[in-house]
Amino acid sequence: MEAGAKTNPTIITIFGGTGDLTWRKLIPAMYNLYLDKWLNSKFSIVCVGRQEMTLEDFISRLHDGINRFSRRGKAKDEEWNEFAKMIFYQKGEFDDPGLYDNIKHRIVQFEQEANCHCNKIFYLAVPPQFFEGIATSIGNAGLAADKTYSRLVIEKPFGTDLKSAQNLNATLLKMFDETQLYRIDHYLGKETVQNILAFRFANALFEPIWNRNYIDHVQITVAEKLGVENRGNYYEINGALRDMIQNHLFQLLCLIAMEPPVSFNADEVRNRKVDVLRALRKIKKEDVHNYAVRGQYDAGWIDGEKVKAYRQEPDVNPESHTETFVAIKFFIDNWRWSGVPFYLRTGKRMNESISVITIQFKPAPHQTFPDEATENWQPNRMVLNLQPDMGIRVRFQAKKPGLQMQLNPVDMLFNYSDTYTSGTPEGYETLLLDVIEGDATLFMRADQVEAAWEILMPIINTWAANPSVNFPNYAAGSHGPETAEGLIARDGNNWIVMPFQKKENE
Ligand code: BG6
């Protein structure tokens, strides 16, 4: 490694170089890594696209992306111009072997100039139908042969069911070793999501109560105000179950439920997560309706603006049965969690955009106080706010000031914005740096992806065989369908979303 540089010399080839992801996320992330001095001075970004474009035009578009999307705001000219020298545009068709010859030529030249073993990263920021073809061509060109330094990054969706995920894994593993594969779930790059590991495994305080003896149930909500808008083509095939539950919400579930890993070794952490997925109780086909509900948004109002129904969005079948909302109750059949329901819920066009995990504790075993004192009594609750507000809130009972004994719930708050003033890196910054450093802890392994699909297959198959009869069943801007309330109410619970910043206790 070069003196002073924090990472290895790297050449990264992005397939889908003219796409949205590169523009909005990848280049801004790499630019921020550059500004924070994480990148070696020998760093090269080759963006592959099918359009005819001059390098100048291409760079100016990326510059515009930085100015719009970088967490640091507009780029300073001098810094941007230096960074932009690392970027190249490579025109080519993904199925043309000539493209891979050109890429190989660039890599060989880069390695010769850098005079060392460099990271050779290939980033598939393309629709999934191109994954297998590109990965195979990279392999055929001999570019996957360096098992230590050659790495492939793949965006979701990773298959649309168990079979397709298995096939994709099999194809990738013909060319690459598992250790070279980095399947991205951008939720794992989020600061608050990584903090779940710190919270659980760097504190002795919570572990003794983190189990069925003290926890009544767990809720995981990822709600979005956003609609499907121009992603109809993608979303029609996927829907909320595949788009969100199979990956993002399952990852959150794993982090909350996993056993303490012995070390932060990538495989150790991933083994513990796979254990959770394997312990998830598989829902029988005939029971799906008792455990899972689906919804699709109708027209409605979001922030005072009228928005379309899902079926009216571009590229969506006007009679579509694709779900835009899912709520599921899971059980984890192991010693720690036996009998504790985990309620997962996600939806588009909901009343607010919020990602939150709520741990609801069991009531105190004996009620010491007289009835009058306990009118506002509530069991303890811990809320992990992932976004947009970031922090942790613990709710407990305290005496309300006054001459009488009256209990009232109060909150202890850890709020990122009060505690830290430095900017929070974006998920993609963390994840790209991990790929550059060869750390796969926050990436999904083949068995993890397949275990997640396996759990969902009964729901996928049952829903496919029984198209919904009541879609659309919730108005845009609402809490989702009534049936989702029913799912949790049957157990005597209700969905809890606590707004973060509150001066007084509710
Ligand atoms: C993506 C999904 O993976 O995650 C989108 O495909 C969803 O449908 C997005 O909107 C949510 O990510 P975030 O980071 O905005 O919560």
Side-chain angles (χ1 to χ4, degrees):
M1 209 178 284
E2 196 185 65
K6 292 187 195 166
T7 52
N8 239 5
T10 297
I11 177 162
I12 175 163
T13 307
I14 306 177
F15 293 85
T18 50
D20 235 39
L21 184 72
T22 306
W23 187 50
R24 285 171 189 266
K25 296 284 185 190
L26 301 183
I27 296 294
M30 281 190 262
Y31 184 53
N32 280 316
L33 289 174
Y34 165 78
L35 293 179
D36 289 334
K37 309 215 176 335
W38 282 104
L39 303 188
N40 194 293
S41 60
K42 290 168 190 152
F43 197 90
S44 180
I45 306 168
V46 180
C47 295
V48 179
R50 285 181 286 183
Q51 298 168 30
E52 193 71 64
M53 216 189 280
T54 65
L55 179 60
E56 208 184 350
D57 287 348
F58 181 63
I59 297 233
S60 127
R61 186 178 129 80
L62 295 183
H63 191 183
D64 174 53
I66 295 282
N67 290 343
R68 289 201 212 188
F69 306 116
S70 168
R71 68 179 162 90
R72 286 193 161 97
K74 286 200 170 177
K76 293 188 187 137
D77 282 347
E78 208 177 305
E79 286 170 341
W80 168 255
N81 291 338
E82 267 314 297
F83 175 76
K85 286 182 191 159
M86 301 174 170
I87 303 175
F88 301 92
Y89 182 66
Q90 173 71 57
K91 182 185 173 303
E93 294 294 330
F94 300 148
D95 56 1
D96 172 14
L99 169 64
Y100 301 87
D101 291 341
N102 286 332
I103 293 171
K104 190 171 186 173
H105 180 70
R106 283 184 190 274
I107 291 177
V108 170
Q109 203 177 359
F110 180 82
E111 279 202 307
Q112 274 168 0
E113 282 168 16
N115 191 25
C116 70
H117 252 311
C118 303
N119 293 328
K120 295 164 278 286
I121 297 172
F122 303 96
Y123 199 118
L124 304 191
V126 291
Q129 63 267 29
F130 297 110
F131 289 172
E132 299 192 36
I134 297 175
T136 306
S137 301
I138 293 172
N140 287 340
L143 293 170
D146 183 342
K147 300 294 176 200
T148 313
Y149 292 104
S150 171
R151 298 172 195 144
L152 185 75
V153 187
I154 313 148
E155 280 288 332
K156 62 179 268 268
F158 205 87
T160 49
D161 57 15
L162 178 58
K163 188 104 197 60
S164 54
Q166 284 169 333
N167 289 343
L168 179 52
N169 278 331
T171 306
L172 296 177
L173 289 166
K174 274 187 207 148
M175 298 295 169
F176 294 83
D177 284 354
E178 179 61 41
T179 52
Q180 295 176 275
L181 297 174
Y182 289 73
R183 300 175 189 81
I184 279 206
D185 182 322
H186 79 280
Y187 263 59
L188 293 178
K190 290 182 192 276
E191 198 62 50
T192 43
V193 173
Q194 290 178 66
N195 189 45
I196 300 174
L197 286 171
F199 176 76
R200 286 202 54 207
F201 305 126
N203 297 297
L205 194 58
F206 308 113
E207 174 57 21
I209 55 169
W210 210 255
N211 57 52
R212 62 190 296 271
N213 298 324
Y214 295 92
I215 293 180
D216 182 78
H217 71 269
V218 176
Q219 301 183 13
I220 303 179
T221 295
V222 177
E224 296 179 282
K225 279 189 197 168
L226 251 161
V228 169
E229 294 158 57
N230 56 8
R231 296 173 73 215
N233 277 327
Y234 160 82
Y235 205 84
E236 275 286 89
I237 303 169
N238 289 283
L241 190 64
R242 295 176 165 99
D243 184 44
M244 298 294 288
I245 301 273
Q246 192 271 347
N247 35 75
H248 307 325
L249 276 88
F250 269 179
Q251 287 301 321
L252 300 178
L253 171 77
C254 287
L255 290 169
I256 291 294
M258 69 197 269
E259 293 301 315
V262 170
S263 71
F264 266 95
N265 169 284
D267 271 332
E268 171 64 12
V269 173
R270 296 190 293 181
N271 287 344
R272 297 292 77 82
K273 288 189 185 177
V274 176
D275 288 346
V276 175
L277 294 172
R278 297 227 170 95
L280 275 180
R281 189 181 304 165
K282 217 165 168 189
I283 300 169
K284 292 196 189 102
K285 266 191 190 165
E286 58 276 21
D287 283 341
V288 165
H289 65 284
N290 283 325
Y291 286 85
V293 303
R294 55 186 155 165
Q296 188 192 73
Y297 62 82
D298 203 347
W301 295 85
I302 300 264
D303 295 334
E305 268 187 45
K306 180 112 182 115
V307 296
K308 290 180 193 165
Y310 175 68
R311 288 179 176 181
Q312 264 84 59
E313 301 278 20
D315 302 315
V316 169
N317 176 352
E319 291 177 11
S320 172
H321 289 284
T322 301
E323 78 286 350
T324 60
F325 175 100
V326 177
I328 312 182
K329 174 166 77 167
F330 284 107
F331 285 100
I332 300 174
D333 288 332
N334 62 17
W335 270 44
R336 187 186 285 271
W337 296 116
S338 180
V340 178
F342 282 72
Y343 302 100
L344 273 52
R345 174 175 68 146
T346 185
K348 298 232 179 267
R349 288 283 188 233
M350 306 269 289
N351 62 322
E352 57 183 331
S353 288
I354 189 166
S355 299
V356 56
I357 302 176
T358 304
I359 318 288
Q360 178 78 19
F361 289 90
K362 292 190 170 166
H366 171 67
Q367 193 48 270
T368 311
F369 299 95
D371 286 351
E372 332 58 279
T374 56
E375 268 166 20
N376 288 331
W377 177 86
Q378 285 177 4
N380 297 125
R381 181 183 288 169
M382 190 177 293
V383 181
L384 307 170
N385 275 74
L386 308 180
Q387 58 184 23
D389 297 312
M390 297 164 49
I392 297 176
R393 179 152 107 159
V394 179
R395 170 160 291 193
F396 59 95
Q397 305 302 309
K399 180 182 175 304
K400 199 171 177 179
L403 295 178
Q404 287 177 326
M405 173 56 81
Q406 183 108 49
L407 298 177
N408 200 45
V410 291
D411 292 339
M412 268 194 318
L413 264 187
F414 153 54
N415 188 341
Y416 276 70
S417 56
D418 289 347
T419 312
Y420 301 113
T421 48
S422 59
T424 309
E426 288 239 343
Y428 274 100
E429 291 171 45
T430 307
L431 296 173
L432 276 165
L433 182 60
D434 282 354
V435 178
I436 293 168
E437 293 187 324
D439 180 353
T441 312
L442 297 180
F443 295 81
M444 320 236 274
R445 219 169 43 190
D447 53 345
Q448 209 177 345
V449 172
E450 291 177 16
W453 280 120
E454 209 172 329
I455 289 297
L456 293 184
M457 285 321 294
I459 306 177
I460 289 177
N461 290 336
T462 308
W463 284 356
N466 304 285
S468 66
V469 285
N470 62 350
F471 278 5
N473 60 354
Y474 70 100
S478 70
H479 291 267
E482 283 280 319
T483 40
E485 306 297 328
L487 176 82
I488 192 165
R490 280 204 294 276
D491 299 339
N493 299 319
N494 60 290
W495 294 106
I496 303 159
V497 172
M498 302 210 290
F500 198 63
Q501 297 288 8
K502 278 230 145 180
K503 289 278 177 284
E504 285 178 3
N505 295 298
E506 303 122 315

